[in-house]
Amino acid sequence: MSKGVIDRIRGGLASQRLDRVMFWLLCLFAAAVSLSVAVTNVAMVFLMPLAIYRLWRQPPDWRGIWYIAPGVFGWLGLFVLSALLSAIAAPDGKTAAMTFVNFYLYRFFPAALVLFWVKDKKQLWILAGCLLASIFLNNLVTIGQAIKASTLLGARFGGIIGLMAQAGLLSAAVPVLTLVLVRQRAGRWSSYGLVMLGIAVAALLLNGTRGAWLAAFVATIVVAVLAARQKKCCLVRMGLAFFLLGGILTQTPAFQARLVTLGQPTYQSNSERLLMWQSAVHAFQDHPVLGVGLGNYAHAYQTQYISPAAKERRQGHAHSNVMQMLGERGAVGAFAFCGMWLYFMAFALRGWLRTKESAYLAFLAIVLGVMLQGLTEYNLGTVVVSKAYWFSLAICLQWIALTRKERSA
């Protein structure tokens, strides 16, 4: 055997070992998403030099990655470009640059690794399982916090990662688990899905984030109806489930009190959001094209645009993804963000109707849940939610690509 052949074999074995190490670090990242930001950061710190070395030794098939979903990556690229333009125009360039690197390089990094090098469906299952297990464990902590509390009235529980981060994750996790339950009608996965779904719903109620309640409710209905093989049976089961859930909400004083505030414009959380959104509109009116600048919204809001009537004087965001984009990044950023969101949903729905591949519905559930909750919360500004969001979407896209390859073989 020639020396060149031996060198190629050694190089291939070295790449395989490196890929295994990177995969298990990705598993650590996924398992820690809902438990510890510090651990996810440690996993990413170890992954970075390995990924750079892997890129140098054997670059990925860039064209093949692009053709997984050209429209998705096109809109994502436009969204990132709008952020870059807003950063260039920002008055505080250093803050803008750090924000851009954090949001669109660092937080995208695990998702990129999935698309570049995870080429096995079993590995995708493991990564998705680690992610759901992490959320499940945090949900158990949430329920434990509630059990230990002296009362549920006026109390909210967010587990280890906090209220709004958990709310963002559960907005997507509840419809995804519903999808698992509907598509896996029998067997152990159905049983696991039912238990995890029940725990997730309990944690979501105890979390008390009303926007997440509504987002999970709408996304779950959409996904369940699309996924069900027997529509009438599915509607009956959903009706019974929501009847039971409605009874819990209306008959439990703590949940009932929280639910009533949805229709109260004078309730502080509601009125405060309206004031924040007005401030974002004022910032947009003064800076209509590229906004006040990426990463500069908190300073602009607190020093120039905050309403005199606002009671929460230390807020640093607009409490809405859309309003944040409008005020911080102007018309360019808001257009790119809304266009990306709508295209992502259209891509998933079209793919599902054409192929009946569950990964498309999982993609839809994640986008719909997170974005609906994001109408009343800047959840993509939360490091826990944004990391999990892009990572889970990458898992769906890679599954779609591998399925497409199998069918064409």
Side-chain angles (χ1 to χ4, degrees), residues 384-396:
V384 172
V385 177
S386 57
K387 281 181 179 178
Y389 178 71
W390 299 118
F391 186 73
S392 56
L393 291 185
I395 291 174
C396 294

Side-chain angles (χ1 to χ4, degrees), residues 25 28-29 31-33 35-45 387:
L25 284 171
L28 175 63
F29 166 86
V33 157
L35 300 174
S36 172
V37 174
V39 174
T40 63
N41 289 339
V42 168
M44 291 171 68
V45 165
K387 281 181 179 178

Side-chain angles (χ1 to χ4, degrees), residues 30-325:
V33 157
S34 194
L35 300 174
S36 172
V37 174
V39 174
T40 63
N41 289 339
V42 168
M44 291 171 68
V45 165
F46 281 105
L47 277 165
M48 283 181 178
L50 296 178
I52 293 171
Y53 178 70
R54 185 71 168 79
L55 279 170
W56 174 70
R57 283 187 61 89
Q58 188 179 352
D61 179 11
W62 300 99
R63 183 176 296 180
I65 293 170
W66 169 261
Y67 283 118
I68 292 174
V72 167
F73 294 130
W75 273 102
L76 179 59
L78 181 62
F79 174 60
V80 174
L81 177 61
S82 72
L84 179 61
L85 294 174
S86 181
I88 293 172
D92 185 347
K94 181 180 179 181
T95 300
M98 291 176 61
T99 303
F100 183 84
V101 170
N102 180 23
F103 276 50
Y104 302 112
L105 296 179
Y106 188 64
R107 298 185 187 183
F108 276 27
F109 178 66
L113 294 186
V114 171
L115 292 171
F116 288 172
W117 288 301
V118 180
K119 305 294 184 181
D120 183 274
K121 281 189 172 183
K122 183 179 179 180
Q123 290 184 332
L124 293 176
W125 266 117
I126 292 172
L127 290 175
C130 288
L131 190 61
L132 287 173
S134 177
I135 295 172
F136 176 74
L137 290 174
N138 189 63
N139 291 341
L140 291 179
V141 173
T142 302
I143 294 172
Q145 290 172 340
I147 292 173
K148 290 183 179 180
S150 57
T151 179
L152 295 182
L153 279 172
R156 297 170 63 191
F157 309 93
I160 299 171
I161 58 174
L163 291 171
M164 301 315 296
Q166 185 192 45
L169 293 180
L170 288 177
S171 296
V174 168
V176 167
L177 289 169
T178 301
L179 171 63
V180 172
L181 192 61
V182 172
R183 298 298 290 178
Q184 300 290 335
R185 292 177 294 180
R188 61 177 182 174
W189 288 112
S190 178
S191 301
Y192 294 158
L194 182 60
V195 171
M196 294 181 71
L197 179 60
I199 296 293
V201 170
L204 182 60
L205 292 177
L206 293 168
N207 179 278
T209 301
R210 299 161 301 163
W213 289 358
L214 294 175
F217 177 77
V218 173
T220 297
I221 291 177
V222 171
V223 169
V225 170
L226 288 171
R229 295 178 176 89
Q230 297 178 337
K231 305 296 184 184
K232 291 182 179 179
C233 182
C234 176
L235 290 173
V236 171
R237 291 178 178 177
M238 286 175 57
L240 291 173
F242 288 128
F243 178 78
L244 176 62
L245 185 61
I248 295 173
L249 284 170
T250 56
Q251 299 304 313
T252 305
F255 299 150
Q256 184 184 35
R258 190 71 180 155
L259 193 63
V260 167
T261 62
L262 278 170
Q264 295 177 346
T266 57
Y267 183 67
Q268 181 176 332
S269 181
N270 299 343
S271 60
E272 202 74 22
R273 275 177 169 79
L274 292 174
L275 292 175
M276 292 179 194
W277 297 346
Q278 291 173 6
S279 296
V281 171
H282 294 157
F284 166 72
Q285 290 172 338
D286 289 346
H287 306 273
V289 180
L290 294 172
V292 298
L294 182 70
N296 285 250
Y297 186 84
H299 177 74
Y301 173 73
Q302 293 174 4
T303 60
Q304 186 176 356
Y305 294 106
I306 189 169
S307 170
K311 297 179 181 179
E312 299 177 17
R313 309 295 294 183
R314 298 181 64 84
Q315 286 286 351
H317 58 80
H319 249 301
S320 165
N321 286 333
V322 175
M323 301 309 293
Q324 181 77 18
M325 298 301 155

